C-alpha cells in the first residue's frame, strides 16, 4: 500500500461511519467468451440488500470492456447495439489438463493492475466475490489472490455458481475466508455477524443496486427463481432447489426503474422457466411494458420452454419488443425426453414456431438449442434434430454436454469420462467435450456444428 492509499484510508475511516462492501465480478478464463448479457445480477441484488442495511457498496466488474487501462492495452472491443459483444482478451498458456483442446486459451477481462488498484482504493470492510461457470474458477482465484496481496486483512466471501456446485474445491483452492453455497445469500447473515458487521434484518430484495458499472449497455433481469422441471443434466435444482414464482407487474416496475435511472433499453432474462405461471408472470409483465409505450428490447439467452408458449404470449412478446427468441428444443427424439427430462413432445415445436410466425416473428428471430454428447446419445439423433430445425427455418445452436456436479447425471458422467472431471473443474469446460467416446467423437461434434451453421444459420451468424 503506498502513502496515498494510506492517506485515503485514514481519511475514509475518519469521515464515514458506513461499513463498506466491495462486490467483485471476476475475469473469465476460457477458450472462447462472448459477452451474451453476462451481468453481475446476483451480486447487485446482494448489493441492494446491503445498501438497504446501511452499507456503502461498490462494484468491481472485471468484464467491464470500457475500462480505460484495458482500452489502452488491448484496444477497443467490438460491441453490438443490443448490448452483447467482446470483452478484453489476452491469450495465455493452456493449463496442462486442457492441452488436448486444439484452441487458444485466454483470460478475458480488465488488466490485473486495474483490479489491484481498485481493490486497494476501496478500503472495504468485506469483499464479496461472485462466481460463474465451474471451469472459470481461475478468475475467482485471481481476484482473491489480488485481495490478499493488497488488502490482506479484509475478509473475502465467495458465492455463486462455482461456489455452490464445487463447494469443496472452492474451500480448498479459491483462497476465500468464507464460501457460501446455494441460493441468494442465505449464508451471508451468519458471516456478517461473525465479522461484527451490520446484519440485514430486511428480506432479500428482488431489485438490483443500480451501479452503472454492473450494467453498462444492458441489464439482466429475472422473473422467477428456479425451474419446475428436473432435467438430469441441468444444475437448476442444485442452484435453486425450490421453484419460486415472481410477479410480472413488479418486474416491469424494476425494468422502468433501471431504464429511467440508467437509460438502458436492452434487457436479458436470466430465467430458467420464464413462461411458467404466465397468468401472474410473463403476461402481466408484457402487458405493462406495452402499456408504457417504451421502446425496449428483451432477450432470452437461457432459452424458453416450448410447452408453455401460447398464441397469446407470442402476440404479447412481439408487441413488447422481444427479440432473438431461443428455445430449449434439445432433441427430436422422444426417447431423449423420457430419459433426460420430460418437457414437451416433439410435435409441440412446429406449433410453437407457427404461433410465433403468426405473431409476426421472422426467421432470424427464431432459434433452438440442441443438446449433443449426453451419455448414450448418438450423432445421428443430433443430426436429425438439426435437420428438423432447418425444415422449420429455425436457427440451431449446438450445446455440447458439459458435466455438472450435483446433477442427476453427474455420477454416470464421472464414470464414463476419460478426463478427471471429479477432481478438476477445468475439465467441465464444454470445449474439452468430456463425454467424447468412440461412438460420439470430437470430429462428430465439429461436423454437427458445421452442419447446424450451414443448414440453419449461414456463414455470417
Ligand atoms: S427445463 Fe431447462 S432449466 Fe429446467 S431443469 Fe430442464 S434444462 Fe434445466
Amino acid at each position: 500500500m503506498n502513502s496515498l492509499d494510506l492517506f485515503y484510508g485514514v481519511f475514509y475511516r475518519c469521515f464515514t461511519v458506513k461499513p463498506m462492501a466491495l462486490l467483485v465480478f471476476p475475469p473469465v478464463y476460457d477458450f472462447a467468451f462472448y459477452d451474451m448479457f453476462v451481468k453481475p445480477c446476483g451480486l447487485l441484488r446482494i448489493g441492494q440488500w446491503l445498501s438497504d442495511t446501511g452499507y456503502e457498496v461498490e462494484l468491481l466488474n472485471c468484464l467491464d470492456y470500457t475500462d480505460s487501462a484495458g482500452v489502452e492495452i488491448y484496444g477497443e472491443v467490438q460491441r453490438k447495439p443490443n448490448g452483447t459483444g467482446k470483452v478484453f482478451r489476452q491469450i495465455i498458456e493452456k493449463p496442462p489438463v486442457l492441452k488436448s483442446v486444439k484452441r487458444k486459451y485466454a483470460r478475458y477481462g480488465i488488466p490485473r493492475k486495474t483490479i489491484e488498484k481498485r481493490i486497494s482504493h476501496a478500503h472495504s470492510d468485506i469483499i464479496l466475490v461472485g462466481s460463474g461457470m465451474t471451469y472459470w474458477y481461475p478468475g475467482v482465484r485471481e481476484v482473491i489472490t489480488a485481495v490478499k496481496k493488497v488488502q490482506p486483512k479484509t475478509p473475502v466471501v465467495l458465492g455463486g455458481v462455482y461456489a455452490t456446485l464445487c463447494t469443496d474445491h472452492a474451500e480448498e483452492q479459491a483462497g476465500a475466508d468464507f464460501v457460501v453455497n446455494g441460493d441468494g445469500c442465505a449464508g451471508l447473515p451468519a458471516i456478517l455477524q461473525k465479522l461484527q458487521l451490520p446484519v440485514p434484518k430486511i428480506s432479500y430484495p428482488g431489485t438490483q443496486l443500480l451501479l452503472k458499472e454492473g450494467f453498462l449497455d444492458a441489464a439482466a433481469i429475472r422473473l422467477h427463481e428456479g425451474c419446475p422441471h428436473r432435467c438430469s443434466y441441468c444444475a437448476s435444482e442444485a442452484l435453486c432447489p425450490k421453484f419460486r414464482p415472481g410477479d410480472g407487474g413488479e418486474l416491469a416496475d424494476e425494468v422502468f426503474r433501471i431504464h429511467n435511472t440508467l437509460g438502458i433499453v436492452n434487457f436479458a432474462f436470466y430465467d430458467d422457466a420464464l413462461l411458467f405461471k404466465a397468468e401472474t408472470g410473463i403476461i402481466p409483465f408484457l402487458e405493462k411494458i406495452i402499456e408504457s409505450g417504451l421502446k425496449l428490447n428483451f432477450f432470452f439467452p437461457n432459452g424458453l420452454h416450448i410447452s408453455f408458449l401460447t398464441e397469446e404470449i407470442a402476440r404479447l412478446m412481439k408487441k413488447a419488443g422481444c427479440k432473438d427468441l431461443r428455445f430449449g428444443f434439445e432433441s427430436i427424439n422422444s426417447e431423449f425426453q423420457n430419459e433426460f427430462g420430460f418437457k414437451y413432445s416433439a410435435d409441440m415445436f412446429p406449433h410453437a414456431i407457427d404461433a410465433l410466425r403468426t405473431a409476426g416473428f421472422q426467421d432470424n428471430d427464431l432459434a433452438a438449442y440442441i443438446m449433443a454428447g449426453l451419455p448414450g446419445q448418438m450423432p445421428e439423433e443430433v443430426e436429425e434434430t438439426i435437420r428438423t430445425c432447418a425444415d422449420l427455418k429455425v436457427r440451431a445452436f449446438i450445446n455440447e454436454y458439459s458435466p455438472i456436479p450435483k446433477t442427476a447425471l453427474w455420477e454416470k458422467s464421472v464414470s464414463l469420462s476419460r478426463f478427471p472431471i471429479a477432481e478438476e473443474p477445468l475439465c467441465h469446460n464444454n470445449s474439452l467435450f468430456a463425454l467424447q467416446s468412440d461412438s460420439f467423437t470430437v470430429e462428430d461434434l465439429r461436423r454437427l456444428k458445421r452442419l447446424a451453421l450451414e443448414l440453419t444459420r449461414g456463414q455470417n451468424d
Side-chain angles (χ1 to χ4, degrees):
M1 188 185 289
N2 62 34
S3 53
L4 199 65
D5 288 338
L6 193 64
F7 167 76
Y8 180 81
V10 173
F11 179 86
Y12 178 85
R13 297 285 163 207
C14 292
F15 291 96
T16 182
V17 285
K18 283 185 164 189
M20 163 74 196
L22 176 68
L23 315 172
V24 186
F25 197 49
V28 165
Y29 285 65
D30 207 336
F31 291 99
F33 177 78
Y34 185 82
D35 173 15
M36 185 87 177
F37 308 108
V38 180
K39 302 289 173 192
C41 178
L43 275 177
L44 290 173
R45 282 175 67 186
I46 293 175
Q48 182 71 64
W49 198 45
L50 295 176
S51 174
D52 291 346
T53 307
Y55 284 76
E56 189 81 36
V57 181
E58 268 186 37
L59 172 74
L60 168 54
N61 179 2
C62 298
L63 297 180
D64 178 358
Y65 48 83
T66 64
D67 176 69
S68 55
V71 173
E72 208 170 291
I73 297 170
Y74 307 114
E76 300 260 358
V77 294
Q78 281 181 343
R79 303 288 301 179
K80 289 189 176 170
N82 67 3
T84 66
K86 296 186 176 177
V87 301
F88 303 126
R89 181 176 84 139
Q90 180 194 7
I91 304 288
I92 56 166
E93 182 87 5
K94 251 180 269 183
V97 74
L98 299 176
K99 284 278 186 237
S100 64
V101 182
K102 306 268 177 277
R103 299 178 72 179
K104 287 182 176 136
Y105 191 70
R107 174 191 180 278
Y108 296 85
I110 59 176
R112 283 194 171 84
K113 281 259 171 289
T114 306
I115 295 178
E116 286 185 13
K117 198 164 140 193
R118 291 278 308 276
I119 292 169
S120 162
H121 282 186
H123 299 287
S124 325
D125 294 289
I126 185 166
I127 296 184
L128 302 157
V129 179
S131 63
M133 298 292 193
T134 55
Y135 48 89
W136 290 350
Y137 78 83
V140 169
R141 208 160 54 183
E142 181 197 315
V143 291
I144 297 175
T145 304
V147 173
K148 295 299 170 193
K149 181 177 163 195
V150 297
Q151 295 283 314
K153 296 214 169 104
T154 310
V156 178
V157 183
L158 170 64
V161 175
Y162 158 66
T164 301
L165 298 178
C166 298
T167 311
D168 293 346
H169 187 274
E171 282 172 351
E172 282 163 25
Q173 305 262 340
D177 299 288
F178 303 93
V179 175
V180 287
N181 73 45
D183 181 19
C185 37
L188 200 52
I191 295 170
L192 295 172
Q193 193 158 31
K194 195 165 174 185
L195 296 171
Q196 298 184 321
L197 288 167
V199 180
K201 301 277 183 286
I202 45 187
S203 58
Y204 186 52
T207 55
Q208 301 178 56
L209 189 61
L210 299 188
L211 300 173
K212 179 71 182 160
E213 187 176 332
F215 294 85
L216 300 171
D217 51 3
I221 50 174
R222 198 193 288 269
L223 174 59
H224 308 308
E225 302 290 332
C227 179
H229 291 298
R230 295 288 177 254
C231 301
S232 54
Y233 51 84
C234 178
S236 180
E237 185 183 11
L239 295 171
C240 184
K242 197 164 178 293
F243 175 77
R244 292 197 304 272
D247 181 295
E250 283 175 16
L251 185 67
D253 291 339
E254 169 74 347
V255 164
F256 301 146
R257 189 177 74 98
I258 296 171
H259 172 73
N260 292 336
T261 312
L262 300 173
I264 283 169
V265 295
N266 298 312
F267 293 84
F269 278 95
Y270 268 17
D271 283 71
D272 288 338
L274 178 65
L275 305 186
F276 190 52
K277 300 271 181 202
E279 292 305 320
T280 49
I282 194 69
I283 291 176
F285 172 83
L286 295 169
E287 285 173 341
K288 214 162 169 177
I289 297 292
I290 295 166
E291 207 180 285
S292 74
L294 291 171
K295 294 267 169 283
L296 304 176
N297 307 311
F298 297 97
F299 300 90
F300 310 91
N302 274 7
L304 295 161
H305 285 114
I306 295 164
S307 55
F308 300 137
L309 187 85
T310 62
E311 285 170 13
E312 182 193 11
I313 295 174
R315 188 175 48 75
L316 291 171
M317 287 178 94
K318 181 65 191 166
K319 260 184 127 173
C322 297
K323 309 233 157 27
D324 193 8
L325 270 49
R326 296 179 179 222
F327 289 88
F329 182 37
E330 274 96 39
S331 173
I332 187 73
N333 187 339
S334 54
E335 291 301 312
F336 177 101
Q337 292 298 328
N338 295 339
E339 187 167 356
F340 298 115
F342 191 83
K343 286 190 281 190
Y344 59 86
S345 56
D347 61 335
M348 285 178 181
F349 190 50
H351 285 304
I353 298 303
D354 266 359
L356 291 162
R357 288 226 162 82
T358 306
F361 286 101
Q362 306 291 313
D363 293 351
N364 60 1
D365 266 322
L366 305 175
Y369 290 127
I370 294 175
M371 289 295 297
L374 280 151
Q377 198 183 19
M378 299 303 284
E380 293 73 23
E381 176 192 319
V382 180
E383 180 168 340
E384 196 190 341
T385 312
I386 294 170
R387 292 189 183 282
T388 304
C389 289
D391 290 345
L392 291 166
K393 293 196 170 49
V394 169
R395 292 178 302 146
F397 291 89
I398 305 285
N399 277 346
E400 54 272 74
Y401 170 58
S402 131
I404 307 176
K406 301 188 182 173
T407 58
L409 265 189
W410 174 245
E411 293 304 331
K412 188 169 184 181
S413 302
V414 171
S415 69
L416 290 175
S417 179
R418 35 179 95 154
F419 301 100
I421 60 173
E423 292 80 37
E424 179 48 81
L426 289 173
C427 295
H428 308 165
N429 193 307
N430 53 349
S431 295
L432 188 68
F433 194 32
L435 269 269
Q436 59 183 270
S437 66
D438 293 343
S439 48
F440 205 137
T441 64
V442 172
E443 190 38 52
D444 287 325
L445 185 67
R446 284 199 197 113
R447 181 183 66 79
L448 290 164
K449 286 189 161 189
R450 281 197 301 272
L451 188 72
L453 192 64
E454 283 162 22
L455 292 186
T456 75
R457 287 156 44 206
Q459 299 304 329
N460 296 329
D461 198 285

